[in-house]
Amino acid sequence: MSILDIIKDTNITFEQRVLGLARAAENSIDVLEMTDYVKEYREAGIICDLFEGNAPYRPRYILPDYDKFIKGGCEFLNITPPTDIWEATNNLLMFYKHVPSITTMPVYIGNIDYLLEKFVTDENEDECYRAIKLFLKHIDTTITDSFCHANIGPRETKAGMLILKAMRELELPTPNLTLKYSEETTNKLAIESINTALVTAKPSFAKDSMYREDFGGNEYGIVSCYNGLEVSGGAHTLVRVRLGRLAKKATNKSDFMENVLPKVAHEMLGYIDERIRFILEESVFFQVNFLVAEGFIKKEKFTGLFGMVGLAECVNHLMELEGKNGRFGSDDLANELGENIVKTLTKIIKDHKCKYFESEEKKHLLHSQVGIETDAGESPGCRIPIGEEPEIFEHIVQASPFHKYFASGIGDIYSFDETYKKNPQAILDIINGGFNMGLRFFSMYGSDCDVVRVTGYLVKKSEMEKLDQGKVVLRDTTILGKGARDNGRVLDRKLRKK
Amino acid sequence: MRRAKINKIIKFSNVDGPGNRMSIFFQGCNYNCLYCHNPETINMCNSCGTCVGSCPVGALSIVDSKVCWDKKLCVECDRCTNICLIDSSPKTMDYSVEELLKEIKKVSGFIRGITVSGGEATLNYEFITELFKEVKKLGLTTFVDTNGSLDLREDIYSEFIKVTDNFMVDMKVWSEKKHKDLTGVDNLSVKKNIEFLGELGKLYEVRTVVVPEFLDNLETVTEVSKLIGSINSKNQLDERIIYKLIKYRQIGVKKENLEGKLLDLTSPADEIMEKLSKVAKENGVQKVIII
C-alpha cells in the first residue's frame, strides 16, 4: 500500500492511519541480513514474519512486571505507589500507554485481579466495581486492539469476581482474558468464568501447572492470542512457517521429513536470530527504554517464537502423495504423521543455540500460530480444518497429544449452544477432562454471543457488519476478524449441542 | 449375560442431570404419548423390513430374517424411522453390560456420571442394576430418567434403587383421566413414586411438558409443586428438588398427531412459562428450570 493510499483509506481511524504510516516508513529500508533461501521463501509466503516490519525497533511481545510497578511505582513516569482502587487503576492505565509491542499497544496488562485485590474490601465493593468497570471500558476504548490480554487467577479474589461481572455487563472484546486454572481455583471462580465466557467469549482456561513446569516455576503470562511467556520478559519476534505451502515443495513424505522440513526450520531459526540481533545490537530499545532501566523487563527473559500454521493441510497433502486418503483429524495415521512433524520441529529448536542469548539454556519456543486473515486454505496451527471437526470428545482426544510441545501457545476453540448456560458445570467437567488428558489451553464462546473468538483474539460480530457496510471501526482487530471470517470461515465452527 | 437394546448413546449431555453426563437411551416404552418427541424409541423392531428399501445409502439389509443396520454407512437421514409402521427403529444396538461399560470408560474422564433414559429405562432395571454397580466403581454417579410408571416401592426394585443415586421423574399431567388420554396409562404410580423417592432423598428432578390449550398446565404445576414443596420441607436437604418446566415443541412429534389431535398447537410463550414458574416457587419449589 502506498503512503497516499494509507492517507486516503476511508476504512481506518486516525490512529490506524498513523500506525500504517509508521509501518510504511519502517518498511522503506532493508537492514536485515537474509540468505537467498529465506528471501525466496518469504516471497513465496512460506516463511512469514507476520508484518513485524523490516527494521524491528522493539520486541514483539513485552510482559512488564506490573507487580513491581504497583508496589514501587515508576520513577521515569513519576508515578508513586497507589493507595486506593482509583489510584491503582489510574496508575496502570498510565503505564499501559508506555508499553510497546508489535501493534504498539500492550499485549499483556498483567494478572489484573491480583494487582487490584489489596484495594478491594467488603465495605468498598460497590465503589471498586465502578472503578473496575471504568478501567475496563477505558482499556477497550484506548487500546484499540484485542491482542491486549489480561490474566486472572488461579486463586479466587474479590477483584477477580468483580472483573468477570464487569466483563459480562460490558460485552467488549478488549482486553482478552485468561483464567490461570489450578487446584487452587475455587469451583465458584471456575463457574463464574464459564458463565462469563458464554456471554462474552472470555476468559479462556490455561492449565497453570503445565505452564509453571514449562517456565521452570517462573512467573508467566498469557498474552496476545494465547502465547505463554515469562513475566519481566517476552518474545523478541515471531516468525512462522506455513506448512501447507511448504509440503508442496516435497516430492514425497520422506523427502519432506528428511530434507524439506529440517531445511526450512534451520533457515527460519537463522532468520529469527537475525531479527533478534537487530533488536539487541542495532535498535536502541534495550539501551534507553525506561522499562529496562527500571527493571520492569529484563533482556535475559526474552525469547524468540517459532510459529507454525497449516499442519492439517500439510499432513493431508503428504498423505495424498503417499496415495492414502486419511485426513488429519480423523485418521490415526494422519494424526501420527502430524505429531511426527511437530516432534521433528521440537528437536531442531531444542538443539539450536541462539548466539544472542546469554544463557545456554535459553531456547526459542514453538508456537502453534492461529493464522492471520489472509491465510486462505491454511488451518491455524495444529487445528482440524473448520467444518471437519469431530464430536467434541473425539476432538479433544485428537488435539491433546499436541499441547505438550507448545509451551508458548496452542489451543482450540469450542462453541457451545445456549443450553449450557443452564449447566456451566458440564463445561467445567469437559475442561477438567481435557486438562487431565493433556490439553493446556481451552477457549469457548456461546453461539449466541456478539463477542466471538476469531482465531485467538476477540471481535464483535456487530462491528464486522459495520465494516461490511464500509464504515470506519475503532479496533484494528475487527478488520483482521472480517478477513478471517471471509477467508477462514471462523464463524462456521462446529456448534457443541447437548 | 444380560443384554439390552440401546437406541442411542450421547457421550456428552448437559441436560440430563448435574454436570456433563453420558446419556444412554434404552429402546422400548410402556407409554405412548401423543407428544412423544422420540417415538422411534417406543417399540421393539419386528423386522418387517418396510424400512430396508427406504435407505438411500444401503445401510439396512435383512440377514437371517432380521433387519440389520450398518452404522458406518448410515448418514442419519432418519428416513427409516419416519417410515416405520410400529414406532420403532432399525438402528438400535444390542449391548451386554461389559460392552456398554467399555463405551463408558472411553469418556469417563470427562463426565461426572451416567444417565439412563429411553424409551423407558426402568423396563430394563435388572440390566441397569448390573451396569450401575460397575459404573459406581469408576467413581461416576448414576441417574435414572423415568416416566415413573413402575411401582418402585415393590421389593424387586430395592437393589435397583440402592445403586441409583438419583431419579428424574416425568409428571406429564395431574388429572388421571387426562394422563390416560395422553399416555395410555394412569398416573397413580407416578405420584406414589415421587413421594417415595422424595422421602428417600433420591429425587433429583420432576419434569412437566407444558402444552398450552391442550393440558391443564396450571393444575399440574400447582399440584406437583405443592408435592415437591412438602418433600423439601420434610427432608431439609441442601440439594433441593428441581422442577423442570419444558416447553412443548413440535420437533420429532409424529406427523399423524401433528395433523390430528395436536393440530395447531405451538410452543408456549415465555410469559406462560414464567407465570407457571412463579406458581411453582410460591408453592415451595426453590429451583425451577425452564427449557
Side-chain angles (χ1 to χ4, degrees), chain B residues 125 129 133 154-164 202:
Chain B
Y125 74 94
T129 305
K133 278 183 188 165
E154 287 176 22
D155 279 350
I156 49 165
Y157 301 117
S158 64
E159 210 180 345
F160 168 59
I161 287 169
K162 209 170 117 194
V163 293
T164 301
K202 289 200 174 199

Side-chain angles (χ1 to χ4, degrees), chain B residues 4-187:
Chain B
K5 289 261 184 248
I6 308 291
N7 180 281
K8 197 178 195 175
I9 296 175
I10 296 180
K11 288 197 183 90
F12 288 4
S13 165
N14 66 337
V15 293
D16 294 296
N20 194 36
R21 314 185 68 78
M22 183 193 252
S23 291
I24 301 168
F25 295 84
F26 286 79
Q27 182 72 17
C29 186
N30 52 349
Y31 278 10
N32 190 359
C33 301
L34 283 170
Y35 61 46
C36 181
H37 68 277
N38 51 4
E40 74 281 2
T41 64
I42 297 176
N43 294 310
M44 294 296 174
C45 174
N46 62 3
S47 285
C48 70
T50 307
C51 58
V52 174
S54 75
C55 182
V57 291
L60 298 175
S61 59
I62 295 189
V63 180
D64 294 340
S65 33
K66 281 195 170 154
V67 172
C68 288
W69 170 59
D70 188 335
K71 194 179 174 183
K72 287 199 183 96
L73 292 178
C74 178
V75 291
E76 292 178 48
C77 68
D78 291 339
R79 281 184 209 180
C80 53
T81 47
N82 288 335
I83 206 170
C84 180
L85 303 170
I86 58 157
D87 295 331
S88 185
S89 165
K91 298 188 287 183
T92 56
M93 298 160 285
D94 188 61
Y95 277 101
S96 69
V97 169
E98 230 167 62
E99 287 158 353
L100 200 48
L101 205 61
K102 217 169 128 194
E103 294 299 311
I104 294 168
K105 279 180 181 165
K106 284 187 197 163
V107 297
S108 60
F110 293 85
I111 55 175
R112 65 180 51 202
I114 302 296
T115 299
V116 295
S117 182
E120 174 47 39
T122 58
L123 301 178
N124 299 276
Y125 74 94
E126 288 158 302
F127 179 92
I128 293 170
T129 305
E130 279 180 35
L131 177 72
F132 278 4
K133 278 183 188 165
E134 297 303 316
V135 167
K136 284 195 153 292
K137 290 180 193 160
L138 302 176
L140 298 172
T141 58
T142 53
F143 277 57
V144 173
D145 176 5
T146 175
N147 61 21
S149 56
L150 302 187
D151 190 344
L152 296 172
R153 296 168 302 174
E154 287 176 22
D155 279 350
I156 49 165
Y157 301 117
S158 64
E159 210 180 345
F160 168 59
I161 287 169
K162 209 170 117 194
V163 293
T164 301
D165 290 320
N166 262 308
F167 286 83
M168 295 178 279
V169 182
D170 283 356
M171 183 72 245
K172 295 176 193 290
V173 56
W174 193 260
S175 140
E176 259 164 65
K177 186 185 171 303
K178 200 71 192 172
H179 194 273
K180 206 158 185 178
D181 290 348
L182 179 73
T183 68
V185 189
D186 73 47
N187 61 9

